[in-house]
Amino acid sequence: MTALRAAVVGLGGMGQWHAGTLAALPELFRVVAGVDVSGEALAKFAAAHAGAATFTSYETMLRESRPEVVVIATGPVPRERMTLAAVDAGARGIYAEKPMAVGLGEARRMVEACKAK
C-alpha cells in the first residue's frame, strides 16, 4: 500500500499534534503540506516535517499539493468551506476537529458532500 498524501490546516497546538501523529504512521500517511497564517507556526511545522510544503492559502495548498487526506484543525467557522473545497479537490479523507461545524445545517452539508464523492 502506498502512503496517503496528507495535509494539515491550522498549525496551532492541535494541528502540530495531528501532523506529528500522521508522520508517526509512515506506512499509512506522508505529510506533504501544512497551512497557517502564522509564520511562526509554519516554521515549526517545516522544521518537524522536512520536505513538506507550507502555505498561507488553503486553496493554493489544495491545488498544488493535491492531498488525499486533509486534517482541518482550525476554528469551526471556516470548516464547512474548507471541507467542501477538499471534497471538490478530490480528498479521500477529511478529519475536522470538533466541533465540526457551527450549526446542524453546515454539518449536514459537509456529510452529504462527502457521501456524494
Side-chain angles (χ1 to χ4, degrees):
M1 180 177 129
T2 303
L4 298 171
R5 297 169 52 79
V8 179
V9 184
L11 298 172
M14 287 306 296
Q16 298 284 351
W17 183 83
H18 286 301
T21 299
L22 292 166
L25 300 166
E27 67 282 0
L28 300 176
F29 304 103
R30 182 166 55 100
V31 178
V32 297
V35 181
D36 205 286
V37 295
S38 164
E40 184 178 322
L42 290 171
K44 183 177 179 180
F45 173 85
H49 304 284
T54 58
F55 298 89
T56 56
S57 166
Y58 181 68
E59 293 80 8
T60 302
M61 179 279 295
L62 289 174
R63 190 173 50 256
E64 293 183 12
S65 293
R66 308 295 299 173
E68 297 166 284
V69 173
V70 178
V71 174
I72 304 172
T74 64
V77 172
R79 289 191 191 138
E80 177 187 18
R81 176 180 56 81
M82 291 179 166
T83 297
L84 298 179
V87 169
D88 287 343
R92 296 171 51 188
I94 300 166
Y95 177 89
E97 268 291 324
K98 62 178 173 42
M100 74 180 269
V102 294
L104 189 55
E106 283 186 7
R108 284 186 177 138
R109 286 187 294 274
M110 292 163 73
V111 169
E112 290 305 315
C114 291
K115 282 182 180 179
K117 289 284 182 165

